[in-house]
Amino acid sequence: MFLALLELRAARGRFLLMGSVVVLVAALVGIVSGFTTGLGDDTISALRRLPASHLVFSSDARSDQFARSLLDAKTAAAWREDADTDTTPLGISITRGTTDRGTEVDLAAFGIDPAAFLNPSVTSGKGLTTDAADIIVISAKLADEGVRVGDTLVIDRLGIRLRVVGLTERSSYGHVPAAYVPLATWQRIRFSTPGAPASTATELPDQFSALALRTPAGTPVADLDKRHSTSTVTKEKAYEAAPGYTGERLTMNSIQVFLYLIAPLVVGAFFAVWTVQRQPELALLRALGASRRRLLVHTVLQAALVVVLGTAAGAVLAGAVGLLVGEQVPFSLPALTLTTTMCTVAAVGLLGSALTLRRVTSVDPLTMLGANR
């Protein structure tokens, strides 16, 4: 250990340079991980908070199910009877509105039955009720954009006026803040024709995007799908139906994988050059009686100090970036995610340094000492 620290001190410039590279790689991996988690939350946090286990879509909707799937009340009644479980309609669509104070916002309207289990709890104001249709509960993200409880929100091009009665926790769908309205109001938003008279509202189809289920484990949903021409997926699988979720995850995960591949190559290349330069010193130590095991431990300690300290500094830098950007961009780096990411970076970095260990253990003291004469 003393010899390893002595060499680190003697060649501190080289090791500081290598440590700086490890810091930057670790910080970059941490930042990318934060953006991956943040973008995922910004796309599906509203879906993740739904108290449902499965979602039922129409069988003809193979992709973008929330936008393309349509089910009717007859299908909902048949599912409710045959599945013998809690079921409730769910409608999702993205729209735009303007408050009476002139604040323009985009929102993902979630149409729900106020009497069913999808009705969200509120942090302030009142929740949705069955005795009023022209009300809306907004998420905290819409409040950040200037919408307040008590405002009147007018849906653009349709003229539908909704009174903001409550505020719920931060949630979004497809990078758009979520808001919750009664199912009948959602149907007006989804199916109304811009400029049509209000009297045609009674002629709107009684349809919705999906059925939300609270299904116990082991329920034979495949048989019910065949019977009712539907497609049932778990809530987690339904995340892929959110706009942009799959593509974003694939892109960000690909970047992370490449960074995990770069880290061992950079660390391995540095220690390979360092080992070649130290061949005479290693041969001298072998001639003085140092065992291969001792030289191996000596080299591993040097690599571990550089990689671990550099990774720890990179974690601090990534966390500082998260605090700096705040809520201005979709960035989320929980402690568990940061710890897991940094441990992976340290592991692949040490794996790269292991590529040089063969040169350390194969040093021939007689050959090296003789070559220097």
Side-chain angles (χ1 to χ4, degrees):
M1 182 65 180
F2 172 76
L3 185 59
L5 293 176
L6 190 63
E7 281 196 336
L8 285 174
R9 180 179 178 183
R12 54 183 175 273
R14 300 177 188 178
F15 283 103
L16 283 174
L17 179 62
M18 185 59 222
S20 300
V21 174
V22 175
V23 169
L24 293 177
V25 171
L28 186 56
V29 173
I31 292 170
V32 171
S33 179
F35 278 116
T36 302
T37 305
L39 287 170
D41 289 343
D42 206 44
T43 304
I44 62 166
S45 59
L47 297 177
R48 185 179 290 141
R49 292 190 173 96
L50 292 176
S53 61
H54 293 73
L55 291 171
V56 182
F57 300 101
S58 59
S59 58
D60 57 345
R62 300 299 181 183
S63 62
D64 298 329
Q65 287 94 330
F66 288 111
R68 299 180 179 181
S69 171
L70 285 176
L71 297 175
D72 54 24
K74 181 179 179 181
T75 303
W79 256 93
R80 186 177 297 110
E81 180 180 354
D82 293 346
D84 191 24
T85 186
D86 290 339
T87 65
T88 184
L90 171 66
I92 302 179
S93 58
I94 296 177
T95 186
R96 185 173 179 82
T98 305
T99 68
D100 50 357
R101 294 184 294 107
T103 303
E104 298 181 356
V105 292
D106 295 317
L107 64 147
F110 279 61
I112 61 175
D113 180 359
F117 60 86
L118 291 185
N119 196 356
S121 58
V122 296
T123 56
S124 66
K126 299 179 180 179
L128 298 180
T129 58
T130 56
D131 57 356
D134 59 342
I135 55 177
I136 184 172
V137 171
I138 63 172
S139 73
K141 292 195 67 174
L142 278 172
D144 294 341
E145 297 182 12
V147 184
R148 299 288 182 265
V149 174
D151 287 353
T152 298
L153 183 68
V154 182
I155 302 300
D156 290 357
R157 301 186 307 132
L158 300 177
I160 300 174
R161 301 177 65 85
L162 303 173
R163 183 166 45 90
V164 180
V165 297
L167 180 69
T168 187
E169 58 188 345
R170 297 178 62 87
S171 60
S172 57
Y173 169 81
H175 305 298
V176 179
Y180 302 86
V181 297
L183 184 62
T185 301
W186 177 84
Q187 290 169 342
R188 292 174 60 197
I189 296 173
R190 174 67 172 80
F191 299 114
S192 292
T193 302
S199 59
T200 60
T202 57
E203 303 173 3
L204 297 177
D206 186 12
Q207 294 178 321
F208 37 86
S209 303
L211 272 175
L213 310 180
R214 288 198 297 193
T215 304
T219 301
V221 294
D223 296 339
L224 295 176
D225 281 335
K226 292 179 181 179
R227 189 181 310 168
H228 303 299
S229 298
T230 56
S231 175
T232 304
V233 297
T234 63
K235 183 177 69 172
E236 290 72 20
K237 185 67 175 178
Y239 296 162
E240 299 176 4
Y245 178 75
T246 302
E248 289 174 356
R249 297 284 292 183
L250 179 62
T251 300
M252 302 305 291
N253 287 335
S254 298
I255 295 174
Q256 277 189 291
V257 169
F258 277 108
L259 290 175
Y260 285 139
L261 294 176
I262 290 171
L265 293 178
V266 171
V267 175
F270 171 80
F271 278 99
V273 174
W274 176 244
T275 302
V276 170
Q277 292 176 341
R278 296 165 58 229
Q279 288 290 317
E281 289 82 359
L282 293 174
L284 179 59
L285 290 173
R286 288 283 291 123
L288 292 174
S291 64
R292 287 187 173 90
R293 180 179 178 181
R294 185 174 181 181
L295 295 182
L296 188 63
V297 172
H298 161 76
T299 303
V300 170
L301 282 174
Q302 285 183 336
L305 285 172
V306 173
V307 172
V308 172
L309 292 179
T311 302
V316 173
L317 182 57
V321 170
L323 294 176
L324 182 63
V325 299
E327 297 179 354
Q328 300 175 10
V329 295
F331 186 93
S332 177
L333 193 57
L336 180 60
T337 302
L338 179 61
T339 302
T340 303
T341 302
M342 294 301 109
C343 288
T344 306
V345 173
V348 298
L350 291 174
L351 179 63
S353 66
L355 301 175
T356 66
L357 297 180
R358 183 177 177 277
R359 287 183 174 271
V360 175
T361 57
S362 62
V363 171
D364 187 349
L366 297 178
T367 303
M368 294 303 301
L369 290 176
N372 289 331
R373 295 192 181 117

